[in-house]
Short mmCIF file of all heavy atoms in Angstrom, two decimals:
data_model
loop_
_atom_site.label_atom_id
_atom_site.label_comp_id
_atom_site.label_asym_id
_atom_site.label_seq_id
_atom_site.Cartn_x
_atom_site.Cartn_y
_atom_site.Cartn_z
N ASP A 574 -81.74 96.58 58.59
CA ASP A 574 -82.03 95.31 57.92
C ASP A 574 -81.46 94.13 58.69
O ASP A 574 -81.82 92.98 58.42
CB ASP A 574 -81.45 95.32 56.51
CG ASP A 574 -82.27 96.20 55.57
OD1 ASP A 574 -83.45 96.41 55.88
OD2 ASP A 574 -81.72 96.68 54.56
N ARG A 575 -80.58 94.40 59.64
CA ARG A 575 -80.01 93.31 60.43
C ARG A 575 -80.93 92.89 61.58
O ARG A 575 -80.69 91.86 62.21
CB ARG A 575 -78.66 93.74 60.99
CG ARG A 575 -77.62 94.09 59.93
CD ARG A 575 -76.31 94.49 60.56
NE ARG A 575 -75.33 94.89 59.55
CZ ARG A 575 -74.10 95.32 59.82
NH1 ARG A 575 -73.71 95.38 61.11
NH2 ARG A 575 -73.29 95.67 58.86
N LEU A 576 -81.93 93.69 61.84
CA LEU A 576 -82.86 93.36 62.93
C LEU A 576 -83.68 92.14 62.56
O LEU A 576 -84.11 91.98 61.41
CB LEU A 576 -83.79 94.53 63.21
CG LEU A 576 -83.16 95.78 63.81
CD1 LEU A 576 -84.20 96.89 63.93
CD2 LEU A 576 -82.56 95.49 65.19
N PRO A 577 -83.96 91.28 63.52
CA PRO A 577 -84.81 90.11 63.24
C PRO A 577 -86.25 90.54 62.99
O PRO A 577 -86.67 91.65 63.33
CB PRO A 577 -84.69 89.27 64.51
CG PRO A 577 -84.31 90.25 65.58
CD PRO A 577 -83.46 91.29 64.91
N ASP A 578 -87.03 89.64 62.43
CA ASP A 578 -88.40 89.96 62.05
C ASP A 578 -89.24 90.41 63.23
O ASP A 578 -90.03 91.36 63.13
CB ASP A 578 -89.06 88.75 61.39
CG ASP A 578 -88.52 88.50 59.99
OD1 ASP A 578 -87.76 89.35 59.49
OD2 ASP A 578 -88.86 87.45 59.41
N HIS A 579 -89.09 89.75 64.37
CA HIS A 579 -89.94 90.10 65.51
C HIS A 579 -89.65 91.52 66.01
O HIS A 579 -90.55 92.23 66.48
CB HIS A 579 -89.77 89.07 66.64
CG HIS A 579 -88.41 89.07 67.27
ND1 HIS A 579 -88.05 89.92 68.29
CD2 HIS A 579 -87.33 88.29 67.02
CE1 HIS A 579 -86.79 89.68 68.64
NE2 HIS A 579 -86.33 88.69 67.88
N SER A 580 -88.39 91.97 65.88
CA SER A 580 -88.06 93.34 66.27
C SER A 580 -88.65 94.34 65.28
O SER A 580 -89.14 95.41 65.67
CB SER A 580 -86.54 93.52 66.36
OG SER A 580 -85.99 92.68 67.36
N MET A 581 -88.60 94.02 64.01
CA MET A 581 -89.18 94.90 63.00
C MET A 581 -90.69 95.03 63.19
O MET A 581 -91.25 96.12 63.09
CB MET A 581 -88.88 94.34 61.61
CG MET A 581 -87.41 94.39 61.22
SD MET A 581 -86.84 96.08 60.95
CE MET A 581 -87.80 96.53 59.51
N ILE A 582 -91.32 93.93 63.49
CA ILE A 582 -92.77 93.96 63.72
C ILE A 582 -93.10 94.82 64.93
O ILE A 582 -94.08 95.57 64.94
CB ILE A 582 -93.32 92.53 63.87
CG1 ILE A 582 -93.24 91.80 62.54
CG2 ILE A 582 -94.76 92.56 64.39
CD1 ILE A 582 -93.62 90.34 62.61
N GLN A 583 -92.26 94.72 65.95
CA GLN A 583 -92.47 95.55 67.14
C GLN A 583 -92.35 97.03 66.78
O GLN A 583 -93.13 97.87 67.25
CB GLN A 583 -91.44 95.18 68.21
CG GLN A 583 -91.58 95.95 69.51
CD GLN A 583 -92.85 95.64 70.25
OE1 GLN A 583 -93.43 94.57 70.05
NE2 GLN A 583 -93.32 96.57 71.08
N ILE A 584 -91.40 97.39 65.94
CA ILE A 584 -91.26 98.77 65.49
C ILE A 584 -92.47 99.19 64.68
O ILE A 584 -93.04 100.27 64.87
CB ILE A 584 -89.96 98.94 64.68
CG1 ILE A 584 -88.74 98.71 65.57
CG2 ILE A 584 -89.90 100.32 64.04
CD1 ILE A 584 -87.43 98.67 64.83
N PHE A 585 -92.89 98.35 63.75
CA PHE A 585 -94.04 98.67 62.91
C PHE A 585 -95.33 98.85 63.71
O PHE A 585 -96.24 99.54 63.29
CB PHE A 585 -94.25 97.56 61.86
CG PHE A 585 -93.26 97.59 60.73
CD1 PHE A 585 -93.21 96.57 59.80
CD2 PHE A 585 -92.37 98.65 60.59
CE1 PHE A 585 -92.31 96.60 58.74
CE2 PHE A 585 -91.46 98.69 59.54
CZ PHE A 585 -91.43 97.66 58.62
N SER A 586 -95.40 98.19 64.87
CA SER A 586 -96.63 98.26 65.67
C SER A 586 -96.92 99.68 66.16
O SER A 586 -98.04 99.98 66.55
CB SER A 586 -96.54 97.30 66.86
OG SER A 586 -95.57 97.75 67.79
N PHE A 587 -95.91 100.55 66.15
CA PHE A 587 -96.11 101.92 66.60
C PHE A 587 -96.47 102.86 65.46
O PHE A 587 -96.70 104.06 65.69
CB PHE A 587 -94.84 102.44 67.30
CG PHE A 587 -94.51 101.73 68.57
CD1 PHE A 587 -93.58 100.70 68.60
CD2 PHE A 587 -95.15 102.06 69.76
CE1 PHE A 587 -93.27 100.02 69.78
CE2 PHE A 587 -94.87 101.40 70.94
CZ PHE A 587 -93.92 100.37 70.96
N LEU A 588 -96.51 102.35 64.24
CA LEU A 588 -96.77 103.20 63.08
C LEU A 588 -98.26 103.30 62.79
O LEU A 588 -99.00 102.32 62.93
CB LEU A 588 -96.06 102.63 61.85
CG LEU A 588 -94.53 102.58 61.91
CD1 LEU A 588 -93.99 101.97 60.62
CD2 LEU A 588 -93.93 103.96 62.13
N PRO A 589 -98.72 104.47 62.34
CA PRO A 589 -100.10 104.59 61.87
C PRO A 589 -100.27 103.84 60.56
O PRO A 589 -99.30 103.48 59.89
CB PRO A 589 -100.28 106.10 61.70
CG PRO A 589 -98.91 106.63 61.51
CD PRO A 589 -98.00 105.75 62.29
N THR A 590 -101.51 103.61 60.19
CA THR A 590 -101.80 102.78 59.03
C THR A 590 -101.16 103.31 57.75
O THR A 590 -100.62 102.55 56.95
CB THR A 590 -103.32 102.66 58.84
OG1 THR A 590 -103.87 102.06 60.00
CG2 THR A 590 -103.65 101.81 57.64
N ASN A 591 -101.22 104.63 57.54
CA ASN A 591 -100.67 105.17 56.30
C ASN A 591 -99.16 104.93 56.22
O ASN A 591 -98.61 104.67 55.15
CB ASN A 591 -100.98 106.65 56.17
CG ASN A 591 -100.35 107.48 57.27
OD1 ASN A 591 -100.49 107.16 58.44
ND2 ASN A 591 -99.64 108.53 56.89
N GLN A 592 -98.45 104.97 57.37
CA GLN A 592 -97.02 104.71 57.37
C GLN A 592 -96.73 103.23 57.11
O GLN A 592 -95.73 102.89 56.46
CB GLN A 592 -96.41 105.14 58.70
CG GLN A 592 -96.49 106.64 58.97
CD GLN A 592 -95.67 107.43 57.96
OE1 GLN A 592 -94.75 106.91 57.36
NE2 GLN A 592 -96.01 108.70 57.79
N LEU A 593 -97.61 102.37 57.62
CA LEU A 593 -97.47 100.95 57.30
C LEU A 593 -97.58 100.71 55.80
O LEU A 593 -96.85 99.91 55.22
CB LEU A 593 -98.53 100.14 58.03
CG LEU A 593 -98.20 99.64 59.44
CD1 LEU A 593 -99.38 98.87 60.01
CD2 LEU A 593 -96.96 98.78 59.44
N CYS A 594 -98.51 101.43 55.18
CA CYS A 594 -98.68 101.30 53.73
C CYS A 594 -97.42 101.72 53.00
O CYS A 594 -97.01 101.09 52.01
CB CYS A 594 -99.86 102.17 53.27
SG CYS A 594 -101.46 101.64 53.92
N ARG A 595 -96.78 102.78 53.47
CA ARG A 595 -95.55 103.24 52.83
C ARG A 595 -94.40 102.27 53.06
O ARG A 595 -93.60 102.01 52.16
CB ARG A 595 -95.20 104.63 53.36
CG ARG A 595 -96.18 105.70 52.91
CD ARG A 595 -95.91 107.02 53.59
NE ARG A 595 -96.88 108.03 53.16
CZ ARG A 595 -96.97 109.25 53.69
NH1 ARG A 595 -96.16 109.59 54.68
NH2 ARG A 595 -97.86 110.11 53.24
N CYS A 596 -94.33 101.74 54.28
CA CYS A 596 -93.26 100.77 54.57
C CYS A 596 -93.38 99.53 53.69
O CYS A 596 -92.37 98.93 53.30
CB CYS A 596 -93.31 100.38 56.04
SG CYS A 596 -92.74 101.67 57.18
N ALA A 597 -94.60 99.15 53.38
CA ALA A 597 -94.81 97.95 52.57
C ALA A 597 -94.28 98.12 51.14
O ALA A 597 -94.12 97.14 50.42
CB ALA A 597 -96.29 97.60 52.53
N ARG A 598 -93.97 99.36 50.73
CA ARG A 598 -93.49 99.60 49.37
C ARG A 598 -91.97 99.75 49.33
O ARG A 598 -91.41 100.10 48.30
CB ARG A 598 -94.16 100.87 48.82
CG ARG A 598 -95.68 100.78 48.82
CD ARG A 598 -96.31 102.02 48.25
NE ARG A 598 -96.07 102.14 46.84
CZ ARG A 598 -96.43 103.21 46.11
NH1 ARG A 598 -97.03 104.22 46.70
NH2 ARG A 598 -96.17 103.25 44.82
N VAL A 599 -91.30 99.49 50.45
CA VAL A 599 -89.85 99.65 50.50
C VAL A 599 -89.14 98.47 49.86
O VAL A 599 -88.29 98.63 48.99
CB VAL A 599 -89.38 99.84 51.96
CG1 VAL A 599 -87.86 99.77 52.05
CG2 VAL A 599 -89.90 101.16 52.51
N CYS A 600 -89.47 97.27 50.30
CA CYS A 600 -88.84 96.07 49.76
C CYS A 600 -89.73 94.87 50.04
O CYS A 600 -90.72 94.98 50.75
CB CYS A 600 -87.44 95.86 50.36
SG CYS A 600 -87.47 95.57 52.14
N ARG A 601 -89.36 93.73 49.49
CA ARG A 601 -90.20 92.55 49.63
C ARG A 601 -90.32 92.13 51.10
O ARG A 601 -91.39 91.75 51.56
CB ARG A 601 -89.63 91.39 48.81
CG ARG A 601 -90.46 90.11 48.87
CD ARG A 601 -89.86 89.04 47.98
NE ARG A 601 -89.93 89.41 46.59
CZ ARG A 601 -91.00 89.22 45.80
NH1 ARG A 601 -92.10 88.69 46.32
NH2 ARG A 601 -90.97 89.56 44.54
N ARG A 602 -89.20 92.20 51.82
CA ARG A 602 -89.25 91.80 53.23
C ARG A 602 -90.18 92.70 54.02
O ARG A 602 -91.01 92.23 54.80
CB ARG A 602 -87.85 91.85 53.84
CG ARG A 602 -87.82 91.41 55.31
CD ARG A 602 -86.53 91.78 55.98
NE ARG A 602 -86.54 91.37 57.38
CZ ARG A 602 -85.81 91.94 58.33
NH1 ARG A 602 -84.99 92.93 58.03
NH2 ARG A 602 -85.88 91.50 59.58
N TRP A 603 -90.07 94.01 53.81
CA TRP A 603 -90.94 94.94 54.54
C TRP A 603 -92.39 94.77 54.13
O TRP A 603 -93.30 94.96 54.94
CB TRP A 603 -90.47 96.38 54.29
CG TRP A 603 -89.26 96.76 55.09
CD1 TRP A 603 -88.25 95.94 55.49
CD2 TRP A 603 -88.95 98.06 55.60
NE1 TRP A 603 -87.32 96.63 56.20
CE2 TRP A 603 -87.72 97.95 56.29
CE3 TRP A 603 -89.56 99.30 55.52
CZ2 TRP A 603 -87.10 99.03 56.90
CZ3 TRP A 603 -88.96 100.40 56.13
CH2 TRP A 603 -87.74 100.26 56.82
N TYR A 604 -92.61 94.43 52.87
CA TYR A 604 -93.98 94.19 52.41
C TYR A 604 -94.62 93.05 53.20
O TYR A 604 -95.74 93.15 53.69
CB TYR A 604 -93.97 93.84 50.91
CG TYR A 604 -95.33 93.53 50.33
CD1 TYR A 604 -96.12 94.52 49.78
CD2 TYR A 604 -95.81 92.21 50.31
CE1 TYR A 604 -97.36 94.23 49.25
CE2 TYR A 604 -97.05 91.91 49.78
CZ TYR A 604 -97.82 92.93 49.25
OH TYR A 604 -99.05 92.64 48.73
N ASN A 605 -93.87 91.96 53.36
CA ASN A 605 -94.39 90.81 54.10
C ASN A 605 -94.59 91.13 55.59
O ASN A 605 -95.57 90.70 56.20
CB ASN A 605 -93.46 89.61 53.93
CG ASN A 605 -93.41 89.11 52.50
OD1 ASN A 605 -94.41 89.19 51.78
ND2 ASN A 605 -92.25 88.59 52.09
N LEU A 606 -93.64 91.89 56.15
CA LEU A 606 -93.74 92.24 57.57
C LEU A 606 -94.90 93.21 57.82
O LEU A 606 -95.59 93.11 58.84
CB LEU A 606 -92.43 92.85 58.05
CG LEU A 606 -91.22 91.92 58.12
CD1 LEU A 606 -89.97 92.70 58.54
CD2 LEU A 606 -91.49 90.78 59.10
N ALA A 607 -95.10 94.14 56.90
CA ALA A 607 -96.16 95.15 57.09
C ALA A 607 -97.54 94.54 57.11
O ALA A 607 -98.48 95.10 57.68
CB ALA A 607 -96.07 96.22 56.01
N TRP A 608 -97.69 93.36 56.47
CA TRP A 608 -98.99 92.70 56.45
C TRP A 608 -99.07 91.56 57.45
O TRP A 608 -99.95 90.71 57.35
CB TRP A 608 -99.30 92.19 55.04
CG TRP A 608 -99.74 93.29 54.12
CD1 TRP A 608 -99.06 93.82 53.08
CD2 TRP A 608 -100.97 94.01 54.19
NE1 TRP A 608 -99.78 94.83 52.49
CE2 TRP A 608 -100.95 94.96 53.15
CE3 TRP A 608 -102.08 93.95 55.04
CZ2 TRP A 608 -102.00 95.85 52.93
CZ3 TRP A 608 -103.13 94.84 54.82
CH2 TRP A 608 -103.08 95.76 53.78
N ASP A 609 -98.18 91.58 58.42
CA ASP A 609 -98.27 90.58 59.47
C ASP A 609 -99.59 90.75 60.22
O ASP A 609 -99.96 91.87 60.59
CB ASP A 609 -97.10 90.76 60.45
CG ASP A 609 -97.03 89.64 61.47
OD1 ASP A 609 -97.85 89.67 62.42
OD2 ASP A 609 -96.19 88.74 61.31
#
């Protein structure tokens, strides 16, 4: 959670779509980042 948004987005870019969907249900911040 200490990682900046751009680093999180870089990590998310390697995830398949179904994993992005799951990440979006973790917390509000991840929800917003997953739909970048």
